Structure formats: structure tokens, C-alpha cells
PDB file of all heavy atoms in Angstrom:
ATOM      1  N   ALA A   1     -86.910-144.037 -96.091  1.00 98.00           N
ATOM      2  CA  ALA A   1     -87.682-144.565 -97.217  1.00 98.00           C
ATOM      3  C   ALA A   1     -89.121-144.733 -96.781  1.00 98.00           C
ATOM      4  O   ALA A   1     -89.401-145.263 -95.697  1.00 98.00           O
ATOM      5  CB  ALA A   1     -87.107-145.904 -97.683  1.00 98.00           C
ATOM      6  N   ILE A   2     -90.039-144.288 -97.617  1.00 98.00           N
ATOM      7  CA  ILE A   2     -91.478-144.424 -97.370  1.00 98.00           C
ATOM      8  C   ILE A   2     -92.070-145.142 -98.571  1.00 98.00           C
ATOM      9  O   ILE A   2     -91.953-144.674 -99.711  1.00 98.00           O
ATOM     10  CB  ILE A   2     -92.152-143.047 -97.187  1.00 98.00           C
ATOM     11  CG1 ILE A   2     -91.515-142.299 -96.018  1.00 98.00           C
ATOM     12  CG2 ILE A   2     -93.649-143.209 -96.961  1.00 98.00           C
ATOM     13  CD1 ILE A   2     -91.895-140.832 -95.954  1.00 98.00           C
ATOM     14  N   LEU A   3     -92.684-146.286 -98.328  1.00 98.00           N
ATOM     15  CA  LEU A   3     -93.180-147.125 -99.417  1.00 98.00           C
ATOM     16  C   LEU A   3     -94.649-147.461 -99.188  1.00 98.00           C
ATOM     17  O   LEU A   3     -95.027-147.886 -98.097  1.00 98.00           O
ATOM     18  CB  LEU A   3     -92.341-148.407 -99.511  1.00 98.00           C
ATOM     19  CG  LEU A   3     -92.654-149.375-100.661  1.00 98.00           C
ATOM     20  CD1 LEU A   3     -91.376-150.087-101.123  1.00 98.00           C
ATOM     21  CD2 LEU A   3     -93.695-150.423-100.264  1.00 98.00           C
ATOM     22  N   GLN A   4     -95.462-147.269-100.218  1.00 98.00           N
ATOM     23  CA  GLN A   4     -96.878-147.628-100.172  1.00 98.00           C
ATOM     24  C   GLN A   4     -97.125-148.931-100.942  1.00 98.00           C
ATOM     25  O   GLN A   4     -96.548-149.137-102.016  1.00 98.00           O
ATOM     26  CB  GLN A   4     -97.747-146.534-100.789  1.00 98.00           C
ATOM     27  CG  GLN A   4     -98.089-145.395 -99.856  1.00 98.00           C
ATOM     28  CD  GLN A   4     -96.908-144.530 -99.496  1.00 98.00           C
ATOM     29  OE1 GLN A   4     -96.473-144.496 -98.347  1.00 98.00           O
ATOM     30  NE2 GLN A   4     -96.350-143.833-100.481  1.00 98.00           N
ATOM     31  N   ILE A   5     -98.000-149.774-100.411  1.00 98.00           N
ATOM     32  CA  ILE A   5     -98.486-150.948-101.142  1.00 98.00           C
ATOM     33  C   ILE A   5     -99.807-150.567-101.787  1.00 98.00           C
ATOM     34  O   ILE A   5    -100.748-150.147-101.102  1.00 98.00           O
ATOM     35  CB  ILE A   5     -98.691-152.160-100.210  1.00 98.00           C
ATOM     36  CG1 ILE A   5     -97.393-152.501 -99.468  1.00 98.00           C
ATOM     37  CG2 ILE A   5     -99.200-153.354-101.009  1.00 98.00           C
ATOM     38  CD1 ILE A   5     -96.282-153.028-100.346  1.00 98.00           C
ATOM     39  N   ASN A   6     -99.908-150.707-103.102  1.00 98.00           N
ATOM     40  CA  ASN A   6    -101.121-150.310-103.811  1.00 98.00           C
ATOM     41  C   ASN A   6    -101.660-151.480-104.638  1.00 98.00           C
ATOM     42  O   ASN A   6    -101.161-152.603-104.527  1.00 98.00           O
ATOM     43  CB  ASN A   6    -100.842-149.084-104.688  1.00 98.00           C
ATOM     44  CG  ASN A   6    -102.039-148.152-104.766  1.00 98.00           C
ATOM     45  OD1 ASN A   6    -103.182-148.580-104.693  1.00 98.00           O
ATOM     46  ND2 ASN A   6    -101.776-146.873-104.912  1.00 98.00           N
ATOM     47  N   THR A   7    -102.671-151.226-105.441  1.00 95.00           N
ATOM     48  CA  THR A   7    -103.267-152.263-106.274  1.00 95.00           C
ATOM     49  C   THR A   7    -103.483-151.728-107.686  1.00 95.00           C
ATOM     50  O   THR A   7    -103.509-150.516-107.902  1.00 95.00           O
ATOM     51  CB  THR A   7    -104.638-152.727-105.730  1.00 95.00           C
ATOM     52  OG1 THR A   7    -105.633-151.737-106.037  1.00 95.00           O
ATOM     53  CG2 THR A   7    -104.590-152.959-104.232  1.00 95.00           C
ATOM     54  N   PRO A   8    -103.673-152.634-108.683  1.00 93.00           N
ATOM     55  CA  PRO A   8    -103.906-152.182-110.055  1.00 93.00           C
ATOM     56  C   PRO A   8    -105.126-151.292-110.219  1.00 93.00           C
ATOM     57  O   PRO A   8    -105.220-150.533-111.190  1.00 93.00           O
ATOM     58  CB  PRO A   8    -104.068-153.494-110.823  1.00 93.00           C
ATOM     59  CG  PRO A   8    -103.267-154.485-110.047  1.00 93.00           C
ATOM     60  CD  PRO A   8    -103.478-154.105-108.614  1.00 93.00           C
ATOM     61  N   ALA A   9    -106.079-151.350-109.278  1.00 93.00           N
ATOM     62  CA  ALA A   9    -107.254-150.480-109.363  1.00 93.00           C
ATOM     63  C   ALA A   9    -106.875-149.013-109.313  1.00 93.00           C
ATOM     64  O   ALA A   9    -107.654-148.150-109.720  1.00 93.00           O
ATOM     65  CB  ALA A   9    -108.228-150.810-108.234  1.00 93.00           C
ATOM     66  N   ALA A  10    -105.676-148.706-108.821  1.00 95.00           N
ATOM     67  CA  ALA A  10    -105.198-147.330-108.801  1.00 95.00           C
ATOM     68  C   ALA A  10    -104.801-146.843-110.186  1.00 95.00           C
ATOM     69  O   ALA A  10    -104.627-145.638-110.399  1.00 95.00           O
ATOM     70  CB  ALA A  10    -104.005-147.203-107.855  1.00 95.00           C
ATOM     71  N   THR A  11    -104.626-147.767-111.120  1.00 94.00           N
ATOM     72  CA  THR A  11    -104.287-147.413-112.496  1.00 94.00           C
ATOM     73  C   THR A  11    -105.482-147.601-113.420  1.00 94.00           C
ATOM     74  O   THR A  11    -105.789-146.737-114.243  1.00 94.00           O
ATOM     75  CB  THR A  11    -103.116-148.273-113.005  1.00 94.00           C
ATOM     76  OG1 THR A  11    -101.979-148.064-112.160  1.00 94.00           O
ATOM     77  CG2 THR A  11    -102.741-147.901-114.441  1.00 94.00           C
ATOM     78  N   ILE A  12    -106.144-148.750-113.277  1.00 92.00           N
ATOM     79  CA  ILE A  12    -107.305-149.054-114.120  1.00 92.00           C
ATOM     80  C   ILE A  12    -108.431-149.549-113.212  1.00 92.00           C
ATOM     81  O   ILE A  12    -108.441-150.705-112.800  1.00 92.00           O
ATOM     82  CB  ILE A  12    -107.013-150.166-115.142  1.00 92.00           C
ATOM     83  CG1 ILE A  12    -105.589-150.096-115.658  1.00 92.00           C
ATOM     84  CG2 ILE A  12    -108.013-150.128-116.287  1.00 92.00           C
ATOM     85  CD1 ILE A  12    -105.182-151.291-116.468  1.00 92.00           C
ATOM     86  N   PRO A  13    -109.397-148.699-112.879  1.00 92.00           N
ATOM     87  CA  PRO A  13    -110.502-149.174-112.038  1.00 92.00           C
ATOM     88  C   PRO A  13    -111.382-150.162-112.803  1.00 92.00           C
ATOM     89  O   PRO A  13    -111.445-150.133-114.027  1.00 92.00           O
ATOM     90  CB  PRO A  13    -111.279-147.892-111.721  1.00 92.00           C
ATOM     91  CG  PRO A  13    -110.936-146.957-112.825  1.00 92.00           C
ATOM     92  CD  PRO A  13    -109.544-147.285-113.248  1.00 92.00           C
ATOM     93  N   TRP A  14    -112.001-151.056-112.051  1.00 91.00           N
ATOM     94  CA  TRP A  14    -112.926-151.997-112.676  1.00 91.00           C
ATOM     95  C   TRP A  14    -114.320-151.785-112.124  1.00 91.00           C
ATOM     96  O   TRP A  14    -114.500-151.196-111.049  1.00 91.00           O
ATOM     97  CB  TRP A  14    -112.455-153.431-112.476  1.00 91.00           C
ATOM     98  CG  TRP A  14    -112.198-153.873-111.067  1.00 91.00           C
ATOM     99  CD1 TRP A  14    -113.117-154.191-110.123  1.00 91.00           C
ATOM    100  CD2 TRP A  14    -110.914-154.053-110.457  1.00 91.00           C
ATOM    101  NE1 TRP A  14    -112.500-154.561-108.953  1.00 91.00           N
ATOM    102  CE2 TRP A  14    -111.147-154.486-109.127  1.00 91.00           C
ATOM    103  CE3 TRP A  14    -109.590-153.900-110.898  1.00 91.00           C
ATOM    104  CZ2 TRP A  14    -110.113-154.780-108.240  1.00 91.00           C
ATOM    105  CZ3 TRP A  14    -108.568-154.175-110.012  1.00 91.00           C
ATOM    106  CH2 TRP A  14    -108.827-154.620-108.709  1.00 91.00           C
ATOM    107  N   PRO A  15    -115.341-152.230-112.825  1.00 92.00           N
ATOM    108  CA  PRO A  15    -116.714-152.016-112.370  1.00 92.00           C
ATOM    109  C   PRO A  15    -116.997-152.785-111.089  1.00 92.00           C
ATOM    110  O   PRO A  15    -116.470-153.866-110.851  1.00 92.00           O
ATOM    111  CB  PRO A  15    -117.565-152.537-113.535  1.00 92.00           C
ATOM    112  CG  PRO A  15    -116.690-153.501-114.259  1.00 92.00           C
ATOM    113  CD  PRO A  15    -115.298-152.972-114.108  1.00 92.00           C
ATOM    114  N   GLY A  16    -117.846-152.207-110.251  1.00 92.00           N
ATOM    115  CA  GLY A  16    -118.232-152.875-109.024  1.00 92.00           C
ATOM    116  C   GLY A  16    -117.215-152.722-107.911  1.00 92.00           C
ATOM    117  O   GLY A  16    -117.159-153.563-107.009  1.00 92.00           O
ATOM    118  N   ALA A  17    -116.422-151.657-107.940  1.00 93.00           N
ATOM    119  CA  ALA A  17    -115.427-151.440-106.876  1.00 93.00           C
ATOM    120  C   ALA A  17    -115.130-149.946-106.744  1.00 93.00           C
ATOM    121  O   ALA A  17    -113.985-149.541-106.589  1.00 93.00           O
ATOM    122  CB  ALA A  17    -114.151-152.212-107.172  1.00 93.00           C
ATOM    123  N   VAL A  18    -116.172-149.125-106.763  1.00 95.00           N
ATOM    124  CA  VAL A  18    -115.960-147.679-106.870  1.00 95.00           C
ATOM    125  C   VAL A  18    -115.263-147.095-105.643  1.00 95.00           C
ATOM    126  O   VAL A  18    -114.333-146.285-105.772  1.00 95.00           O
ATOM    127  CB  VAL A  18    -117.303-146.957-107.154  1.00 95.00           C
ATOM    128  CG1 VAL A  18    -118.289-147.116-106.005  1.00 95.00           C
ATOM    129  CG2 VAL A  18    -117.074-145.480-107.457  1.00 95.00           C
ATOM    130  N   GLY A  19    -115.685-147.477-104.457  1.00 95.00           N
ATOM    131  CA  GLY A  19    -115.036-146.956-103.255  1.00 95.00           C
ATOM    132  C   GLY A  19    -113.619-147.473-103.105  1.00 95.00           C
ATOM    133  O   GLY A  19    -112.701-146.726-102.755  1.00 95.00           O
ATOM    134  N   TYR A  20    -113.445-148.747-103.392  1.00 94.00           N
ATOM    135  CA  TYR A  20    -112.130-149.382-103.300  1.00 94.00           C
ATOM    136  C   TYR A  20    -111.153-148.724-104.271  1.00 94.00           C
ATOM    137  O   TYR A  20    -110.043-148.325-103.894  1.00 94.00           O
ATOM    138  CB  TYR A  20    -112.271-150.868-103.608  1.00 94.00           C
ATOM    139  CG  TYR A  20    -110.990-151.656-103.597  1.00 94.00           C
ATOM    140  CD1 TYR A  20    -110.523-152.247-102.424  1.00 94.00           C
ATOM    141  CD2 TYR A  20    -110.246-151.831-104.755  1.00 94.00           C
ATOM    142  CE1 TYR A  20    -109.337-152.978-102.407  1.00 94.00           C
ATOM    143  CE2 TYR A  20    -109.068-152.550-104.758  1.00 94.00           C
ATOM    144  CZ  TYR A  20    -108.620-153.127-103.581  1.00 94.00           C
ATOM    145  OH  TYR A  20    -107.450-153.845-103.573  1.00 94.00           O
ATOM    146  N   ALA A  21    -111.561-148.594-105.530  1.00 95.00           N
ATOM    147  CA  ALA A  21    -110.674-148.014-106.544  1.00 95.00           C
ATOM    148  C   ALA A  21    -110.367-146.555-106.238  1.00 95.00           C
ATOM    149  O   ALA A  21    -109.234-146.091-106.419  1.00 95.00           O
ATOM    150  CB  ALA A  21    -111.297-148.150-107.930  1.00 95.00           C
ATOM    151  N   SER A  22    -111.358-145.814-105.757  1.00 97.00           N
ATOM    152  CA  SER A  22    -111.142-144.400-105.452  1.00 97.00           C
ATOM    153  C   SER A  22    -110.102-144.229-104.354  1.00 97.00           C
ATOM    154  O   SER A  22    -109.249-143.327-104.419  1.00 97.00           O
ATOM    155  CB  SER A  22    -112.458-143.755-105.024  1.00 97.00           C
ATOM    156  OG  SER A  22    -113.410-143.805-106.065  1.00 97.00           O
ATOM    157  N   SER A  23    -110.151-145.085-103.332  1.00 97.00           N
ATOM    158  CA  SER A  23    -109.176-144.973-102.244  1.00 97.00           C
ATOM    159  C   SER A  23    -107.777-145.301-102.732  1.00 97.00           C
ATOM    160  O   SER A  23    -106.794-144.701-102.281  1.00 97.00           O
ATOM    161  CB  SER A  23    -109.568-145.900-101.087  1.00 97.00           C
ATOM    162  OG  SER A  23    -109.434-147.267-101.444  1.00 97.00           O
ATOM    163  N   ARG A  24    -107.671-146.233-103.681  1.00 97.00           N
ATOM    164  CA  ARG A  24    -106.350-146.583-104.223  1.00 97.00           C
ATOM    165  C   ARG A  24    -105.830-145.489-105.145  1.00 97.00           C
ATOM    166  O   ARG A  24    -104.631-145.229-105.208  1.00 97.00           O
ATOM    167  CB  ARG A  24    -106.422-147.916-104.958  1.00 97.00           C
ATOM    168  CG  ARG A  24    -106.128-149.126-104.098  1.00 97.00           C
ATOM    169  CD  ARG A  24    -107.012-149.238-102.916  1.00 97.00           C
ATOM    170  NE  ARG A  24    -106.634-150.322-102.016  1.00 97.00           N
ATOM    171  CZ  ARG A  24    -107.308-150.627-100.919  1.00 97.00           C
ATOM    172  NH1 ARG A  24    -108.374-149.938-100.572  1.00 97.00           N
ATOM    173  NH2 ARG A  24    -106.918-151.623-100.142  1.00 97.00           N
ATOM    174  N   TYR A  25    -106.734-144.828-105.872  1.00 97.00           N
ATOM    175  CA  TYR A  25    -106.324-143.658-106.657  1.00 97.00           C
ATOM    176  C   TYR A  25    -105.758-142.578-105.726  1.00 97.00           C
ATOM    177  O   TYR A  25    -104.751-141.931-106.029  1.00 97.00           O
ATOM    178  CB  TYR A  25    -107.522-143.092-107.430  1.00 97.00           C
ATOM    179  CG  TYR A  25    -107.541-143.425-108.891  1.00 97.00           C
ATOM    180  CD1 TYR A  25    -107.955-144.681-109.327  1.00 97.00           C
ATOM    181  CD2 TYR A  25    -107.162-142.486-109.848  1.00 97.00           C
ATOM    182  CE1 TYR A  25    -107.984-144.990-110.673  1.00 97.00           C
ATOM    183  CE2 TYR A  25    -107.198-142.781-111.198  1.00 97.00           C
ATOM    184  CZ  TYR A  25    -107.610-144.040-111.608  1.00 97.00           C
ATOM    185  OH  TYR A  25    -107.642-144.345-112.950  1.00 97.00           O
ATOM    186  N   ALA A  26    -106.429-142.369-104.592  1.00 98.00           N
ATOM    187  CA  ALA A  26    -105.961-141.382-103.630  1.00 98.00           C
ATOM    188  C   ALA A  26    -104.578-141.753-103.090  1.00 98.00           C
ATOM    189  O   ALA A  26    -103.709-140.886-102.920  1.00 98.00           O
ATOM    190  CB  ALA A  26    -106.955-141.253-102.473  1.00 98.00           C
ATOM    191  N   LEU A  27    -104.365-143.041-102.842  1.00 98.00           N
ATOM    192  CA  LEU A  27    -103.065-143.487-102.339  1.00 98.00           C
ATOM    193  C   LEU A  27    -101.978-143.277-103.387  1.00 98.00           C
ATOM    194  O   LEU A  27    -100.857-142.882-103.056  1.00 98.00           O
ATOM    195  CB  LEU A  27    -103.144-144.963-101.942  1.00 98.00           C
ATOM    196  CG  LEU A  27    -101.909-145.541-101.248  1.00 98.00           C
ATOM    197  CD1 LEU A  27    -101.647-144.840 -99.924  1.00 98.00           C
ATOM    198  CD2 LEU A  27    -102.064-147.050-101.040  1.00 98.00           C
ATOM    199  N   ARG A  28    -102.308-143.522-104.648  1.00 98.00           N
ATOM    200  CA  ARG A  28    -101.335-143.261-105.714  1.00 98.00           C
ATOM    201  C   ARG A  28    -101.021-141.770-105.806  1.00 98.00           C
ATOM    202  O   ARG A  28     -99.859-141.364-105.950  1.00 98.00           O
ATOM    203  CB  ARG A  28    -101.891-143.753-107.060  1.00 98.00           C
ATOM    204  CG  ARG A  28    -100.874-143.720-108.190  1.00 98.00           C
ATOM    205  CD  ARG A  28    -101.514-144.169-109.487  1.00 98.00           C
ATOM    206  NE  ARG A  28    -101.743-143.049-110.383  1.00 98.00           N
ATOM    207  CZ  ARG A  28    -102.500-143.078-111.470  1.00 98.00           C
ATOM    208  NH1 ARG A  28    -103.146-144.186-111.797  1.00 98.00           N
ATOM    209  NH2 ARG A  28    -102.644-142.030-112.236  1.00 98.00           N
ATOM    210  N   GLY A  29    -102.052-140.933-105.685  1.00 98.00           N
ATOM    211  CA  GLY A  29    -101.827-139.492-105.700  1.00 98.00           C
ATOM    212  C   GLY A  29    -100.978-139.040-104.530  1.00 98.00           C
ATOM    213  O   GLY A  29    -100.114-138.166-104.674  1.00 98.00           O
TER     214      GLY A  29
END
């Protein structure tokens, strides 16, 4: 089993967190 811990920014990014949200989008992908 391989499990990732992610954040809601991977689904809905918020302003003022562009690098953070982008990395979480990549983790979701």
C-alpha cells in the first residue's frame, strides 16, 4: 500500500499560495 497525505489546495487552490498549491496538485497527479 502506498498512501500520500495531501491538502485541500490540491483540489481548490487559494490566493497567496501558488507554489504550495502547485506542489499539492503535482502530488495529487
Side-chain angles (χ1 to χ4, degrees):
I2 301 167
L3 184 147
Q4 277 69 247
I5 303 292
N6 214 329
T7 76
T11 301
I12 324 170
W14 55 76
V18 64
Y20 178 89
S22 298
S23 68
R24 269 57 186 182
Y25 257 78
L27 187 63
R28 189 182 106 193

